[in-house]
Amino acid sequence: MPKIECVSAMEILDSRGRPTVGAWCEFASGARAWASIPSGASTGRAEAVELRDGDPNRHGGLGCRKAVGHVNREINSALRGKSFADQRQLDETIIALDGTPNKSKLGANALLAVSIAFARANAMEAKKPLFEHFASMVDESSQTLPRLTINLFSGGKHAGGQVPIQDVLIVPLSASSIDQGLADASAVYRAATALCARKYQMRPLVADEGGLAPPFPTIDAMLEDAVESIRSPGFAPGKDIAIAIDVASSHFFSEGRYHLEGRSLLPGQMIDQVAQWVERYPIISVEDALAEEDWSNWPALQRRIGNHALVLGDDLLCTNPQRIAQAIESDAASALLLKVNQIGTLTEAAEAHALAKKAGWSITISARSGETEDDWLADLAVGWSGNQIKVGSITRSERLAKYNRLLMIEAQTRWPVANWPKAKP
Ligand code: 2PG
Ligand code: MG
C-alpha cells in the first residue's frame, strides 16, 4: 500500500476562463499525479457544492483559493504519511473530514481533485493505464468503448439562450470504432458549418462546448437543420447517425409550467411536445425533458417515450445514489448521466454507477460545459464501461483531449464500441 507523501492544489483556469482546482497527489515511492476538475453552467440544485471565494474583486467571485487552501491545509494534514487500502478508504476519509451532506465545508472541487489525483497516482504506482485502474473500482467491465454522443448545436445556458433547449447531439450509430465515429461526426459538423453560413450568415463561431449556435428561429428549425446536416454528407438519419437532445428543462420551468417559445406548458403538454419531437426526428436519447423538481411527471414521460428513446436524467439525478434509488423505485428514467463532480468523490460516483447498472439502465459518462485539458474522463468512461460518452463537440482542445485519449485507448485495446442499448419497454 503506497504511503501519501503529500497532497497539494493550485487554482487554474477552465475552458471558459473561470477558476477551477487542480491537485497533485505524491506517494513516498515517488509516484506523483495531477488531476484537474471541470465545472458546470447548467447545474442541478442537488449537486455537491463547488466552493467559490465570493470575492467580487477577483474573477467575479468565482476564485477557488479557499478550496485550494483546504487541500493544502486540512486535507493534506489528514492524509500525509498515511496509506489507504483503496479508493473507498481515501474517499471516506476526506468525506468525513468535510462532514457536511453536500461538501460545502471543504468544497466538492477540493475533494474531487484529490480523489482523482489519488486514483491516478495509484495507476502510476501499479504501472497500469488509468482506465484499467478505474475498472478495478467497479464490479463489471465489458471491454467495450463508449458510443460517442457529440454536440452539434448548442443553446440554453451554453449559448446565451438563443434557443431554449441546450444540446442537439449526433450519435454515430453505424460506426464500429471511435476513429470512424469521429470521422463521421466531423463530416456532419462540416456540413452544419456550411448550413449555418448559408442559412444564418454565421461564421463558424462556437459555444461553450464547441457546438454551433446560430440564431435558430425555433426548436424545430434546430432539429431540422441537424437532420439536414446528417443527410447532406450522405448518412441515413436514425440509421447511420441519430440525434440525442439535452432539453435542460429545469432552466425554463417555474411555478409548475414549462415556458417554451412563448408558450406556457403544463407537464402533460411538455410530455406531448417531447413525444412529438421523438416521433418527428430520429431522436434516440432525451436528457432532462422534465425539470429536476418535477418528479411526479417523470414516470409518465418514461411510459410515453421509453420505447423509442433513452430517458436520461442529469439535473434530476445529480449522480446522487439517493436520487437514483428514488428514480429507479418510481420508474422515472432509463438512463443515468454520470458526472463525477456532481457528487464529489469517485467512490460515491461508483455507487451511483452500480445502482444504475443493477437496474438495467444505460450510463452516459459526461464532461461539464467548463472543462480543462485533463483527459481522465475518457479513461473513466472506458474503465466503468459507460454505454455512451458525452464530451461536447469535436472542436476546442478541452473536448479533443478526451476524444484523442479515447483514440489512444482504442489503439491500445482494439475493443469494439458498445452497441446502442435496447429501449426499455
Ligand atoms: C449538461 C452539461 C454538459 P453543464 O447539462 O449535460 O452538457 O452541462 O456542465 O453546464 O451542466
Ligand atoms: Mg444536461
Side-chain angles (χ1 to χ4, degrees), residues 45 249-259 264-265 291 293:
R45 283 202 207 143
S249 65
S250 302
H251 304 291
F252 53 84
F253 180 72
S254 64
E255 289 162 13
R257 285 177 177 265
Y258 293 87
H259 303 279
S264 169
L265 305 177
E293 65 262 51

Side-chain angles (χ1 to χ4, degrees), residues 1 72 96 144 164 348 414:
M1 270 193 303
N72 291 339
T144 55
E348 292 158 290
R414 311 224 165 264

Side-chain angles (χ1 to χ4, degrees), residues 16 39-44 47 151 157-158 166-167 209 246 248 251 287-288 314-315 337 339 342 366-370 390 392 399:
R16 278 190 282 247
S39 171
S42 76
T43 45
E47 291 193 22
N151 188 299
K157 290 206 160 181
H158 297 170
Q166 187 177 288
D167 306 315
E209 298 194 4
D246 181 359
H251 304 291
E287 181 182 333
D288 283 355
D314 172 14
D315 291 355
L337 195 84
K339 292 165 165 170
Q342 285 182 323
S366 175
R368 300 304 308 245
S369 50
K390 178 183 173 192
R399 316 283 147 194

Side-chain angles (χ1 to χ4, degrees), residues 2-7 26 28 76-84:
K3 193 202 286 181
I4 293 183
E5 179 72 19
C6 75
V7 292
E26 191 173 339
N76 184 42
S77 307
L79 302 186
R80 67 178 310 156
K82 300 213 175 88
S83 298
F84 295 88

Side-chain angles (χ1 to χ4, degrees), residues 223-238:
L223 292 165
E224 277 158 22
D225 287 344
V227 174
E228 190 180 328
S229 307
I230 293 170
R231 206 169 259 139
S232 88
F235 296 112

Side-chain angles (χ1 to χ4, degrees), residues 242-283:
I243 291 177
I245 56 174
D246 181 359
V247 185
S249 65
S250 302
H251 304 291
F252 53 84
F253 180 72
S254 64
E255 289 162 13
R257 285 177 177 265
Y258 293 87
H259 303 279
L260 195 63
E261 301 188 313
R263 293 171 296 158
S264 169
L265 305 177
L266 288 166
Q269 294 171 310
M270 183 65 196
I271 294 174
D272 289 342
Q273 172 63 83
V274 172
Q276 243 178 51
W277 290 332
V278 171
E279 266 162 41
R280 200 173 297 161
Y281 306 103
I283 295 175

